[in-house]
Amino acid sequence: MALLDVNHLDVRFALRRGDVQALRDVCFSLDKGERLGIVGESGAGKSVAAFSLLNLIAKPGYIANGSHIVFDGEELVGLSDRALRRIRGHRMSMIFQDPMMTLNPVLSIGEQMIECLKAHRRISKREARKVALEKLQLAQIPAPEARLDQYPHELSGGMRQRVIIAIALLLDPDIIIADEPTTALDVTIQAEVMALLLDLCEKQDVGLILITHDLGVVSQVTERMLVMYAGRVIEQGPTREIINNPLHPYTQGLIQALPQMATPGSRLNQIPGSMPSLDKLPSGCAFHPRCPFATLDDGRPRPGCRDQVPPLTGADARQVSCHMVAENKPVQADQSAPAKEAH
Ligand code: SF4
C-alpha cells in the first residue's frame, strides 16, 4: 500500500457568483522515500493540490465531498484541525517558496525550532535545543550554534531556506512537500539548496513531493511526475519516460520550451496562449484553444477536443488525458507544430 493515496480530489472555492473548481478528480500516490514532481504553469492547480494535502486551503476554498487523501492508512479528509496537527509538520512537512512565510520574524531561529519540538514532543528545552542544533548541522549550516540565537532577517536568503529545510526535518517526517523551494533564491544557490534537500530526503528516507513550474528540475530530481493543466492531471508516469517520450501535447510544449531545447542564439520556444481562468474553462479539453492538434489537417475540428473532457487513460504507470492519444495515434515530439517564438 502506498504511503499517501490521493483519490478523486476536488477542491472548490465558494465565490458569490458560484463555486469555482480549482482541482478536478486529481489522483496520485506516493510510496515511502519516493520523489514525485508536480509540474505546470501558474494557475495549473499544483500548489492547491499541495496545500490541500494538509488541508491548508484558505476559505472560501474547501475540499469537496468524495475526495480522499489517505495517509498511512488514515483518511485525512474530514479530520478536525486538532487531529490534523498530529500530522502537519510532524509526519508531513511543507517548505514554501518564501522562507519568510514560515519563519516568525520576531523569534530567534532557536526559539522557533524549540517551540515546534515542544509542541509535538515531551521534551525539555535543553533537549529540544540539542535536536535543533543537530538539524541545523544536518542542513550544513555554518556556525549552527550561533544561528540558533539569530533572527531570520540576519540570515541570507539561501541560509534562511536551509533553516527551513532543517525545520522541515525537525520532527523526522515521512513526507516533505516542497512548493517551488528554490524559486525565490539567487540562481547561483538554487542548485546547492536543491541538492541539499535531495540528499537529506535520501539519507533520511523521506518522501518528497516537489511542486514546480521548472520541468528541468523535475527531470533531474524526481522518479515520477504529474503534469497539471487547468486543475486536472493531464499526464502522469515515470519521469524519465515522460521526458523522453511526452504523449500529451501540453507536456510536449513544456519540454520544447526548456532553454536547452532552443537553438543557440535563437529565442526560446513557447506554448502559444495562456492558461485559462478556472471560472472560464474552455469546453471539452481545456487545452484545445492552445493545442496544435485540436484541428485536423483538413481544417475540421478533431472529434471530441472541443466538446468532451478527455479522461485520463492508460496503464497505471503511464496515464494521459488526450483524445488523440486515446485514438492510438501517439504524437511524436518532432511532429509537433512549430513552436512560436517568445517575445
Ligand atoms: Fe489537443 Fe485534443 Fe489532445 Fe486536448 S484532447 S490535448 S485538444 S489533441
Side-chain angles (χ1 to χ4, degrees):
M1 191 175 69
L3 179 62
L4 177 71
D5 230 324
V6 176
N7 270 305
H8 311 298
L9 178 59
D10 276 29
V11 173
R12 298 173 193 189
F13 285 83
L15 304 181
R16 261 199 214 150
R17 58 181 188 275
D19 276 14
V20 169
Q21 208 166 340
L23 290 186
R24 293 159 191 258
D25 201 19
V26 170
C27 303
F28 64 90
S29 63
L30 184 85
D31 288 332
K32 187 160 174 51
E34 194 182 17
R35 298 191 300 268
L36 174 78
I38 304 185
V39 287
E41 297 162 285
S42 301
K46 47 195 198 308
S47 292
V48 177
F51 279 47
S52 53
L53 296 181
L54 289 169
N55 204 4
L56 291 172
I57 303 284
K59 282 203 165 69
Y62 69 98
I63 296 176
N65 287 340
S67 305
H68 297 285
I69 301 170
V70 178
F71 171 66
D72 202 10
E74 182 179 12
E75 175 65 77
L76 303 189
V77 176
L79 276 191
S80 67
D81 223 45
R82 192 186 160 140
L84 269 172
R85 274 204 291 273
R86 256 191 306 118
I87 296 183
R88 271 187 214 139
H90 193 195
R91 301 207 54 201
M92 273 198 244
S93 345
M94 190 132 189
I95 296 178
F96 297 97
Q97 178 176 340
D98 180 359
M100 293 312 269
M101 266 179 81
T102 311
L103 294 171
N104 184 334
V106 299
L107 293 179
S108 70
I109 302 300
E111 284 168 328
Q112 301 189 44
M113 295 178 86
I114 291 166
E115 208 171 76
C116 175
L117 278 160
K118 284 178 70 68
H120 287 91
R121 286 187 188 161
R122 285 169 177 267
I123 191 170
S124 70
K125 196 172 169 188
R126 195 190 167 128
E127 285 167 327
R129 188 173 167 98
K130 193 167 159 246
V131 175
L133 185 61
E134 280 167 15
K135 299 299 179 188
L136 291 184
Q137 282 163 339
L138 206 61
Q140 297 167 15
I141 291 174
E145 183 91 52
R147 303 290 179 197
L148 283 175
D149 299 316
Q150 286 186 312
Y151 288 84
H153 72 269
E154 297 179 88
L155 307 179
S156 67
M159 204 52 71
R160 279 200 288 261
Q161 201 58 314
R162 280 173 186 267
V163 167
I164 293 295
I165 292 174
I167 292 176
L169 290 166
L170 204 53
L171 296 155
D172 304 316
D174 298 287
I175 298 175
I176 289 182
I177 303 161
D179 188 11
E180 305 274 9
T182 59
T183 307
L185 303 177
D186 285 350
V187 180
T188 47
I189 47 175
Q190 283 181 353
E192 211 178 284
V193 170
M194 185 56 78
L196 171 74
L197 178 61
L198 280 187
D199 185 50
L200 291 176
C201 283
E202 217 165 276
K203 283 188 183 141
Q204 315 277 310
D205 201 20
V206 178
L208 176 68
I209 299 179
L210 179 65
I211 316 291
T212 178
H213 65 280
D214 190 338
L215 197 57
V217 172
V218 163
S219 70
Q220 288 162 15
V221 163
T222 63
E223 295 154 326
R224 278 193 310 119
M225 62 185 274
L226 311 181
V227 184
M228 294 197 65
Y229 190 83
R232 298 182 70 229
V233 175
I234 51 99
E235 183 157 11
Q236 69 166 314
T239 303
R240 201 75 354 252
E241 274 183 36
I242 292 184
I243 299 293
N244 290 337
N245 181 27
L247 296 178
H248 195 284
Y250 177 61
T251 318
Q252 293 179 356
L254 289 179
I255 291 175
Q256 288 296 322
L258 286 172
Q260 54 268 42
M261 298 301 280
T263 319
S266 69
R267 289 180 172 179
L268 294 179
N269 299 321
Q270 72 169 24
I271 304 171
S274 55
M275 180 76 64
S277 155
L278 290 170
D279 58 349
K280 288 190 192 114
L281 285 185
S283 59
C285 170
F287 187 59
H288 88 248
R290 306 173 74 186
C291 180
F293 304 100
T295 304
L296 297 170
D297 289 345
D298 60 11
R300 284 181 302 126
R302 180 177 292 280
C305 290
R306 288 166 171 77
D307 50 20
Q308 288 166 30
V309 177
L312 195 61
T313 54
D316 270 0
R318 186 77 194 269
Q319 294 186 308
V320 188
S321 155
C322 172
H323 292 304
M324 180 171 57
V325 177
E327 282 165 20
N328 230 346
K329 292 178 190 161
V331 184
Q332 300 302 313
D334 58 2
Q335 287 176 358
S336 49
K340 299 248 168 93
E341 289 195 326
H343 298 290

